[in-house]
Amino acid sequence: GQSLEQPSEVTAVEGAIVQINCTYQTSGFYGLSWYQQHDGGAPTFLSYNALDGLEETGRFSSFLSRSDSYGYLLLQELQMKDSASYFCAVPNTGGFKTIFGAGTRLFVKA
Amino acid sequence: EAQVTQNPRYLITVTGKKLTVTCSQNMNHEYMSWYRQDPGLGLRQIYYSMNVEVTDKGDVPEGYKVSRKEKRNFPLILESPSPNQTSLYFCASSPSSGGATGELFFGEGSRLTVL
């Protein structure tokens, strides 16, 4: 089957670093994406890793290990506005279907 | 402004009354897709379209229809809505299939309630 697993909830304090893990099982692999969704809002794209390693974009970084079928999103210098749900996603079936994880709810406390 | 526009944003309807949720993008994207989002289940793909007149089923297509007569528009049709189709629906687009860039551009969502 095809599936992605990520923790349902993570809590961290303002200014801290948090890592959200994602393990996947897919038929054919193209890359791992991450999306952020605030309550009542639309998912917005954060990053995409097609190759192994770490990609950094400001306070957010994303890592991929294809041999381990594993990736993570790293959020540094947490801010209250980072409180949101974060989804990992993988395109498969020729890249035309995108499978999303169930999402990780991040709570940032003062 | 580059955007994906969905209408209506909110709708309450009754079982069996046909409805259409429209989706339009102004980015000249080839790929468009519909998702539904339910608590604890993440986003599940309903249908997608690789280009005009080319559509295919996602993971949860039952009870839905789509069409792609123009590149910019990808309406979602519920011929006979049922309460289990109560959900938050998102339309998304991408310059090519999601496998190329991994980036999907989402509309603001349409919250549908079927009584």
PDB file of all heavy atoms in Angstrom, chain B residues 78-109:
ATOM      1  N   LEU B  78     -21.220  17.242  -7.884  1.00  0.00           N
ATOM      2  CA  LEU B  78     -21.832  16.223  -7.037  1.00  0.00           C
ATOM      3  C   LEU B  78     -23.246  16.030  -7.563  1.00  0.00           C
ATOM      4  O   LEU B  78     -24.113  16.877  -7.354  1.00  0.00           O
ATOM      5  CB  LEU B  78     -21.836  16.653  -5.564  1.00  0.00           C
ATOM      6  CG  LEU B  78     -20.505  16.611  -4.829  1.00  0.00           C
ATOM      7  CD1 LEU B  78     -19.593  17.759  -5.254  1.00  0.00           C
ATOM      8  CD2 LEU B  78     -20.712  16.637  -3.320  1.00  0.00           C
ATOM      9  N   GLU B  79     -23.465  14.942  -8.288  1.00  0.00           N
ATOM     10  CA  GLU B  79     -24.750  14.718  -8.948  1.00  0.00           C
ATOM     11  C   GLU B  79     -25.880  14.505  -7.932  1.00  0.00           C
ATOM     12  O   GLU B  79     -26.978  15.012  -8.098  1.00  0.00           O
ATOM     13  CB  GLU B  79     -24.652  13.492  -9.864  1.00  0.00           C
ATOM     14  CG  GLU B  79     -23.749  13.682 -11.064  1.00  0.00           C
ATOM     15  CD  GLU B  79     -24.483  14.271 -12.269  1.00  0.00           C
ATOM     16  OE1 GLU B  79     -25.683  14.574 -12.148  1.00  0.00           O
ATOM     17  OE2 GLU B  79     -23.833  14.405 -13.325  1.00  0.00           O
ATOM     18  N   SER B  80     -25.591  13.744  -6.898  1.00  0.00           N
ATOM     19  CA  SER B  80     -26.598  13.456  -5.877  1.00  0.00           C
ATOM     20  C   SER B  80     -25.892  13.413  -4.523  1.00  0.00           C
ATOM     21  O   SER B  80     -25.574  12.339  -4.002  1.00  0.00           O
ATOM     22  CB  SER B  80     -27.284  12.126  -6.175  1.00  0.00           C
ATOM     23  OG  SER B  80     -28.296  11.868  -5.217  1.00  0.00           O
ATOM     24  N   PRO B  81     -25.657  14.581  -3.941  1.00  0.00           N
ATOM     25  CA  PRO B  81     -24.869  14.650  -2.700  1.00  0.00           C
ATOM     26  C   PRO B  81     -25.495  13.843  -1.569  1.00  0.00           C
ATOM     27  O   PRO B  81     -26.726  13.758  -1.453  1.00  0.00           O
ATOM     28  CB  PRO B  81     -24.875  16.140  -2.368  1.00  0.00           C
ATOM     29  CG  PRO B  81     -25.172  16.827  -3.653  1.00  0.00           C
ATOM     30  CD  PRO B  81     -26.069  15.895  -4.399  1.00  0.00           C
ATOM     31  N   SER B  82     -24.623  13.271  -0.757  1.00  0.00           N
ATOM     32  CA  SER B  82     -25.068  12.547   0.423  1.00  0.00           C
ATOM     33  C   SER B  82     -24.324  13.095   1.640  1.00  0.00           C
ATOM     34  O   SER B  82     -23.280  13.750   1.496  1.00  0.00           O
ATOM     35  CB  SER B  82     -24.784  11.054   0.268  1.00  0.00           C
ATOM     36  OG  SER B  82     -23.396  10.839   0.141  1.00  0.00           O
ATOM     37  N   PRO B  83     -24.846  12.872   2.844  1.00  0.00           N
ATOM     38  CA  PRO B  83     -24.212  13.425   4.052  1.00  0.00           C
ATOM     39  C   PRO B  83     -22.737  13.057   4.194  1.00  0.00           C
ATOM     40  O   PRO B  83     -21.964  13.834   4.761  1.00  0.00           O
ATOM     41  CB  PRO B  83     -25.060  12.838   5.178  1.00  0.00           C
ATOM     42  CG  PRO B  83     -26.413  12.690   4.573  1.00  0.00           C
ATOM     43  CD  PRO B  83     -26.151  12.249   3.163  1.00  0.00           C
ATOM     44  N   ASN B  84     -22.318  11.892   3.684  1.00  0.00           N
ATOM     45  CA  ASN B  84     -20.896  11.528   3.821  1.00  0.00           C
ATOM     46  C   ASN B  84     -19.988  12.338   2.899  1.00  0.00           C
ATOM     47  O   ASN B  84     -18.761  12.169   2.919  1.00  0.00           O
ATOM     48  CB  ASN B  84     -20.688  10.022   3.619  1.00  0.00           C
ATOM     49  CG  ASN B  84     -21.010   9.555   2.221  1.00  0.00           C
ATOM     50  OD1 ASN B  84     -21.205  10.351   1.311  1.00  0.00           O
ATOM     51  ND2 ASN B  84     -21.056   8.238   2.039  1.00  0.00           N
ATOM     52  N   GLN B  85     -20.569  13.207   2.105  1.00  0.00           N
ATOM     53  CA  GLN B  85     -19.774  14.125   1.299  1.00  0.00           C
ATOM     54  C   GLN B  85     -19.634  15.489   1.969  1.00  0.00           C
ATOM     55  O   GLN B  85     -19.049  16.403   1.391  1.00  0.00           O
ATOM     56  CB  GLN B  85     -20.374  14.268  -0.100  1.00  0.00           C
ATOM     57  CG  GLN B  85     -20.258  12.976  -0.907  1.00  0.00           C
ATOM     58  CD  GLN B  85     -20.878  13.088  -2.274  1.00  0.00           C
ATOM     59  OE1 GLN B  85     -22.096  13.303  -2.420  1.00  0.00           O
ATOM     60  NE2 GLN B  85     -20.067  12.932  -3.319  1.00  0.00           N
ATOM     61  N   THR B  86     -20.136  15.606   3.172  1.00  0.00           N
ATOM     62  CA  THR B  86     -19.883  16.794   3.976  1.00  0.00           C
ATOM     63  C   THR B  86     -18.395  16.845   4.271  1.00  0.00           C
ATOM     64  O   THR B  86     -17.834  15.915   4.855  1.00  0.00           O
ATOM     65  CB  THR B  86     -20.680  16.728   5.288  1.00  0.00           C
ATOM     66  OG1 THR B  86     -22.077  16.838   4.983  1.00  0.00           O
ATOM     67  CG2 THR B  86     -20.270  17.866   6.221  1.00  0.00           C
ATOM     68  N   SER B  87     -17.752  17.925   3.845  1.00  0.00           N
ATOM     69  CA  SER B  87     -16.295  17.987   3.953  1.00  0.00           C
ATOM     70  C   SER B  87     -15.814  19.364   3.538  1.00  0.00           C
ATOM     71  O   SER B  87     -16.585  20.224   3.122  1.00  0.00           O
ATOM     72  CB  SER B  87     -15.671  16.916   3.038  1.00  0.00           C
ATOM     73  OG  SER B  87     -14.277  16.828   3.230  1.00  0.00           O
ATOM     74  N   LEU B  88     -14.514  19.557   3.677  1.00  0.00           N
ATOM     75  CA  LEU B  88     -13.840  20.756   3.187  1.00  0.00           C
ATOM     76  C   LEU B  88     -13.123  20.359   1.898  1.00  0.00           C
ATOM     77  O   LEU B  88     -12.314  19.426   1.900  1.00  0.00           O
ATOM     78  CB  LEU B  88     -12.851  21.264   4.230  1.00  0.00           C
ATOM     79  CG  LEU B  88     -12.021  22.489   3.875  1.00  0.00           C
ATOM     80  CD1 LEU B  88     -12.919  23.684   3.550  1.00  0.00           C
ATOM     81  CD2 LEU B  88     -11.077  22.823   5.032  1.00  0.00           C
ATOM     82  N   TYR B  89     -13.418  21.056   0.826  1.00  0.00           N
ATOM     83  CA  TYR B  89     -12.886  20.708  -0.479  1.00  0.00           C
ATOM     84  C   TYR B  89     -11.875  21.750  -0.944  1.00  0.00           C
ATOM     85  O   TYR B  89     -12.092  22.952  -0.817  1.00  0.00           O
ATOM     86  CB  TYR B  89     -14.020  20.615  -1.512  1.00  0.00           C
ATOM     87  CG  TYR B  89     -14.932  19.444  -1.277  1.00  0.00           C
ATOM     88  CD1 TYR B  89     -16.012  19.550  -0.409  1.00  0.00           C
ATOM     89  CD2 TYR B  89     -14.695  18.224  -1.887  1.00  0.00           C
ATOM     90  CE1 TYR B  89     -16.849  18.460  -0.168  1.00  0.00           C
ATOM     91  CE2 TYR B  89     -15.512  17.128  -1.656  1.00  0.00           C
ATOM     92  CZ  TYR B  89     -16.586  17.257  -0.797  1.00  0.00           C
ATOM     93  OH  TYR B  89     -17.399  16.178  -0.556  1.00  0.00           O
ATOM     94  N   PHE B  90     -10.771  21.247  -1.486  1.00  0.00           N
ATOM     95  CA  PHE B  90      -9.737  22.119  -2.018  1.00  0.00           C
ATOM     96  C   PHE B  90      -9.446  21.769  -3.470  1.00  0.00           C
ATOM     97  O   PHE B  90      -9.289  20.592  -3.817  1.00  0.00           O
ATOM     98  CB  PHE B  90      -8.437  21.986  -1.223  1.00  0.00           C
ATOM     99  CG  PHE B  90      -8.471  22.629   0.117  1.00  0.00           C
ATOM    100  CD1 PHE B  90      -8.665  21.866   1.260  1.00  0.00           C
ATOM    101  CD2 PHE B  90      -8.289  24.001   0.247  1.00  0.00           C
ATOM    102  CE1 PHE B  90      -8.698  22.456   2.510  1.00  0.00           C
ATOM    103  CE2 PHE B  90      -8.312  24.604   1.500  1.00  0.00           C
ATOM    104  CZ  PHE B  90      -8.527  23.828   2.628  1.00  0.00           C
ATOM    105  N   CYS B  91      -9.339  22.801  -4.271  1.00  0.00           N
ATOM    106  CA  CYS B  91      -8.863  22.668  -5.630  1.00  0.00           C
ATOM    107  C   CYS B  91      -7.396  23.093  -5.637  1.00  0.00           C
ATOM    108  O   CYS B  91      -7.002  23.991  -4.877  1.00  0.00           O
ATOM    109  CB  CYS B  91      -9.677  23.565  -6.548  1.00  0.00           C
ATOM    110  SG  CYS B  91      -9.167  23.532  -8.282  1.00  0.00           S
ATOM    111  N   ALA B  92      -6.593  22.453  -6.460  1.00  0.00           N
ATOM    112  CA  ALA B  92      -5.180  22.794  -6.529  1.00  0.00           C
ATOM    113  C   ALA B  92      -4.716  22.727  -7.975  1.00  0.00           C
ATOM    114  O   ALA B  92      -5.298  22.018  -8.798  1.00  0.00           O
ATOM    115  CB  ALA B  92      -4.347  21.839  -5.670  1.00  0.00           C
ATOM    116  N   SER B  93      -3.665  23.465  -8.275  1.00  0.00           N
ATOM    117  CA  SER B  93      -3.099  23.423  -9.615  1.00  0.00           C
ATOM    118  C   SER B  93      -1.578  23.418  -9.533  1.00  0.00           C
ATOM    119  O   SER B  93      -0.987  23.752  -8.494  1.00  0.00           O
ATOM    120  CB  SER B  93      -3.592  24.607 -10.454  1.00  0.00           C
ATOM    121  OG  SER B  93      -3.002  25.819 -10.022  1.00  0.00           O
ATOM    122  N   SER B  94      -0.976  23.033 -10.660  1.00  0.00           N
ATOM    123  CA  SER B  94       0.484  22.978 -10.724  1.00  0.00           C
ATOM    124  C   SER B  94       0.903  23.123 -12.178  1.00  0.00           C
ATOM    125  O   SER B  94       0.154  22.724 -13.074  1.00  0.00           O
ATOM    126  CB  SER B  94       0.961  21.627 -10.165  1.00  0.00           C
ATOM    127  OG  SER B  94       2.361  21.516 -10.220  1.00  0.00           O
ATOM    128  N   PRO B  95       2.080  23.693 -12.428  1.00  0.00           N
ATOM    129  CA  PRO B  95       2.517  23.845 -13.822  1.00  0.00           C
ATOM    130  C   PRO B  95       2.586  22.520 -14.569  1.00  0.00           C
ATOM    131  O   PRO B  95       2.327  22.449 -15.759  1.00  0.00           O
ATOM    132  CB  PRO B  95       3.913  24.456 -13.680  1.00  0.00           C
ATOM    133  CG  PRO B  95       3.899  25.133 -12.365  1.00  0.00           C
ATOM    134  CD  PRO B  95       3.030  24.283 -11.483  1.00  0.00           C
ATOM    135  N   SER B  96       2.969  21.465 -13.830  1.00  0.00           N
ATOM    136  CA  SER B  96       2.993  20.135 -14.430  1.00  0.00           C
ATOM    137  C   SER B  96       2.535  19.175 -13.352  1.00  0.00           C
ATOM    138  O   SER B  96       2.062  19.596 -12.299  1.00  0.00           O
ATOM    139  CB  SER B  96       4.408  19.789 -14.919  1.00  0.00           C
ATOM    140  OG  SER B  96       5.305  19.819 -13.832  1.00  0.00           O
ATOM    141  N   SER B  97       2.675  17.902 -13.573  1.00  0.00           N
ATOM    142  CA  SER B  97       2.243  16.960 -12.546  1.00  0.00           C
ATOM    143  C   SER B  97       3.044  17.182 -11.270  1.00  0.00           C
ATOM    144  O   SER B  97       4.158  17.689 -11.302  1.00  0.00           O
ATOM    145  CB  SER B  97       2.449  15.524 -13.024  1.00  0.00           C
ATOM    146  OG  SER B  97       3.830  15.239 -13.143  1.00  0.00           O
ATOM    147  N   GLY B  98       2.468  16.814 -10.178  1.00  0.00           N
ATOM    148  CA  GLY B  98       3.101  17.056  -8.879  1.00  0.00           C
ATOM    149  C   GLY B  98       4.462  16.414  -8.745  1.00  0.00           C
ATOM    150  O   GLY B  98       5.277  16.843  -7.942  1.00  0.00           O
ATOM    151  N   GLY B  99       4.744  15.409  -9.534  1.00  0.00           N
ATOM    152  CA  GLY B  99       6.022  14.728  -9.429  1.00  0.00           C
ATOM    153  C   GLY B  99       7.194  15.556  -9.918  1.00  0.00           C
ATOM    154  O   GLY B  99       8.330  15.304  -9.552  1.00  0.00           O
ATOM    155  N   ALA B 100       6.918  16.560 -10.721  1.00  0.00           N
ATOM    156  CA  ALA B 100       8.011  17.337 -11.294  1.00  0.00           C
ATOM    157  C   ALA B 100       8.579  18.342 -10.295  1.00  0.00           C
ATOM    158  O   ALA B 100       9.776  18.478 -10.160  1.00  0.00           O
ATOM    159  CB  ALA B 100       7.526  18.053 -12.550  1.00  0.00           C
ATOM    160  N   THR B 101       7.704  19.026  -9.610  1.00  0.00           N
ATOM    161  CA  THR B 101       8.166  20.090  -8.713  1.00  0.00           C
ATOM    162  C   THR B 101       7.697  19.904  -7.289  1.00  0.00           C
ATOM    163  O   THR B 101       8.171  20.583  -6.406  1.00  0.00           O
ATOM    164  CB  THR B 101       7.651  21.455  -9.188  1.00  0.00           C
ATOM    165  OG1 THR B 101       6.219  21.473  -9.072  1.00  0.00           O
ATOM    166  CG2 THR B 101       8.044  21.708 -10.635  1.00  0.00           C
ATOM    167  N   GLY B 102       6.735  19.020  -7.096  1.00  0.00           N
ATOM    168  CA  GLY B 102       6.208  18.811  -5.758  1.00  0.00           C
ATOM    169  C   GLY B 102       5.352  19.934  -5.242  1.00  0.00           C
ATOM    170  O   GLY B 102       4.877  19.879  -4.124  1.00  0.00           O
ATOM    171  N   GLU B 103       5.143  20.991  -6.016  1.00  0.00           N
ATOM    172  CA  GLU B 103       4.420  22.145  -5.513  1.00  0.00           C
ATOM    173  C   GLU B 103       3.029  22.221  -6.103  1.00  0.00           C
ATOM    174  O   GLU B 103       2.854  22.258  -7.336  1.00  0.00           O
ATOM    175  CB  GLU B 103       5.165  23.442  -5.826  1.00  0.00           C
ATOM    176  CG  GLU B 103       4.454  24.695  -5.310  1.00  0.00           C
ATOM    177  CD  GLU B 103       5.277  25.949  -5.463  1.00  0.00           C
ATOM    178  OE1 GLU B 103       6.348  25.877  -6.094  1.00  0.00           O
ATOM    179  OE2 GLU B 103       4.847  27.000  -4.943  1.00  0.00           O
ATOM    180  N   LEU B 104       2.052  22.263  -5.232  1.00  0.00           N
ATOM    181  CA  LEU B 104       0.669  22.472  -5.608  1.00  0.00           C
ATOM    182  C   LEU B 104       0.218  23.823  -5.061  1.00  0.00           C
ATOM    183  O   LEU B 104       0.558  24.197  -3.933  1.00  0.00           O
ATOM    184  CB  LEU B 104      -0.230  21.369  -5.033  1.00  0.00           C
ATOM    185  CG  LEU B 104      -0.050  19.970  -5.608  1.00  0.00           C
ATOM    186  CD1 LEU B 104      -0.718  18.938  -4.712  1.00  0.00           C
ATOM    187  CD2 LEU B 104      -0.607  19.891  -7.013  1.00  0.00           C
ATOM    188  N   PHE B 105      -0.561  24.551  -5.867  1.00  0.00           N
ATOM    189  CA  PHE B 105      -1.131  25.825  -5.453  1.00  0.00           C
ATOM    190  C   PHE B 105      -2.603  25.578  -5.134  1.00  0.00           C
ATOM    191  O   PHE B 105      -3.364  25.150  -6.002  1.00  0.00           O
ATOM    192  CB  PHE B 105      -1.013  26.854  -6.578  1.00  0.00           C
ATOM    193  CG  PHE B 105       0.404  27.195  -6.937  1.00  0.00           C
ATOM    194  CD1 PHE B 105       1.150  26.378  -7.760  1.00  0.00           C
ATOM    195  CD2 PHE B 105       0.992  28.362  -6.457  1.00  0.00           C
ATOM    196  CE1 PHE B 105       2.461  26.686  -8.095  1.00  0.00           C
ATOM    197  CE2 PHE B 105       2.304  28.691  -6.794  1.00  0.00           C
ATOM    198  CZ  PHE B 105       3.037  27.854  -7.610  1.00  0.00           C
ATOM    199  N   PHE B 106      -2.992  25.875  -3.918  1.00  0.00           N
ATOM    200  CA  PHE B 106      -4.336  25.553  -3.461  1.00  0.00           C
ATOM    201  C   PHE B 106      -5.262  26.766  -3.477  1.00  0.00           C
ATOM    202  O   PHE B 106      -4.835  27.901  -3.216  1.00  0.00           O
ATOM    203  CB  PHE B 106      -4.305  25.008  -2.028  1.00  0.00           C
ATOM    204  CG  PHE B 106      -3.847  23.583  -1.944  1.00  0.00           C
ATOM    205  CD1 PHE B 106      -2.500  23.276  -1.867  1.00  0.00           C
ATOM    206  CD2 PHE B 106      -4.764  22.545  -1.943  1.00  0.00           C
ATOM    207  CE1 PHE B 106      -2.068  21.964  -1.794  1.00  0.00           C
ATOM    208  CE2 PHE B 106      -4.348  21.219  -1.864  1.00  0.00           C
ATOM    209  CZ  PHE B 106      -2.992  20.933  -1.791  1.00  0.00           C
ATOM    210  N   GLY B 107      -6.535  26.491  -3.762  1.00  0.00           N
ATOM    211  CA  GLY B 107      -7.576  27.480  -3.552  1.00  0.00           C
ATOM    212  C   GLY B 107      -7.885  27.619  -2.076  1.00  0.00           C
ATOM    213  O   GLY B 107      -7.336  26.885  -1.244  1.00  0.00           O
ATOM    214  N   GLU B 108      -8.790  28.545  -1.725  1.00  0.00           N
ATOM    215  CA  GLU B 108      -9.085  28.842  -0.331  1.00  0.00           C
ATOM    216  C   GLU B 108      -9.999  27.819   0.332  1.00  0.00           C
ATOM    217  O   GLU B 108     -10.196  27.850   1.534  1.00  0.00           O
ATOM    218  CB  GLU B 108      -9.705  30.238  -0.216  1.00  0.00           C
ATOM    219  CG  GLU B 108      -8.724  31.365  -0.500  1.00  0.00           C
ATOM    220  CD  GLU B 108      -7.542  31.312   0.441  1.00  0.00           C
ATOM    221  OE1 GLU B 108      -7.752  31.260   1.668  1.00  0.00           O
ATOM    222  OE2 GLU B 108      -6.388  31.323  -0.039  1.00  0.00           O
ATOM    223  N   GLY B 109     -10.549  26.925  -0.456  1.00  0.00           N
ATOM    224  CA  GLY B 109     -11.376  25.868   0.124  1.00  0.00           C
ATOM    225  C   GLY B 109     -12.864  26.167   0.031  1.00  0.00           C
ATOM    226  O   GLY B 109     -13.284  27.332   0.027  1.00  0.00           O
TER     227      GLY B 109
END
